[in-house]
């Protein structure tokens, strides 16, 4: 499939991407990611490997669009909200002072 990444056309196939990523250790995921095989890779790492370009030359959206069209599962940014049941700093301070926590 023909994909445009960083204003350059690439002819990519799912098997080409799988072969390129074989043996590559995934970096920690801090942004958007894509599942290739059984591993989850940051989209910028995948883009750098399949295009052989610097990560600053393309956006995560371009790589995500290409990987989705090839049939890979892409994941959005990880949710940065605190886990359920976690007190806010004000609620925690109120609890430590013995007064009822504001809702």
């Amino acid at each position: 499939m023909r994909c445009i990444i960083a204003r350059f056309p690439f002819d990519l196939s799912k098997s080409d991407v799988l072969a390129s990523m074989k043996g590559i250790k995934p970096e920690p995921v801090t942004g958007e990611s894509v599942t290739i095989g059984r591993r989850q890779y940051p989209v910028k790492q995948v883009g750098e490997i399949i295009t052989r370009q610097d990560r600053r030359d393309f956006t995560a959206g371009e790589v995500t669009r290409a990987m989705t069209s090839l049939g890979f599962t892409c994941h959005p940014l990880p949710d940065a909200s605190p886990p359920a049941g976690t007190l806010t700093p004000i609620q925690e301070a109120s609890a430590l002072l013995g007064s009822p926590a504001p809702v």
Side-chain angles (χ1 to χ4, degrees):
M1 167 175 261
R2 192 171 190 87
C3 303
I4 305 293
I5 300 174
R7 299 182 314 268
F8 292 100
F10 292 94
D11 287 320
L12 299 174
S13 69
K14 191 167 186 169
S15 59
D16 291 339
V17 174
L18 287 168
S20 296
M21 298 306 293
K22 186 176 181 180
I24 303 293
K25 183 179 177 191
E27 296 171 358
V29 175
T30 57
E32 297 177 44
S33 61
V34 59
T35 301
I36 299 175
R38 290 178 282 166
R39 295 183 172 181
Q40 194 167 347
Y41 295 90
V43 291
K44 288 283 203 166
Q45 180 183 12
V46 174
E48 181 179 45
I49 291 169
I50 63 172
T51 65
R52 295 182 183 93
Q53 293 182 340
D54 191 273
R55 295 177 189 207
R56 295 172 291 183
D57 293 341
F58 53 85
T59 65
E62 291 174 312
V63 179
T64 301
R65 188 170 43 253
M67 295 298 104
T68 302
S69 65
L70 289 173
F72 292 103
T73 304
C74 296
H75 310 278
L77 287 167
D79 189 15
S81 64
T86 303
L87 297 176
T88 66
I90 292 175
Q91 291 171 332
E92 188 175 344
S94 294
L96 290 172
L97 293 173
S99 61
V103 178

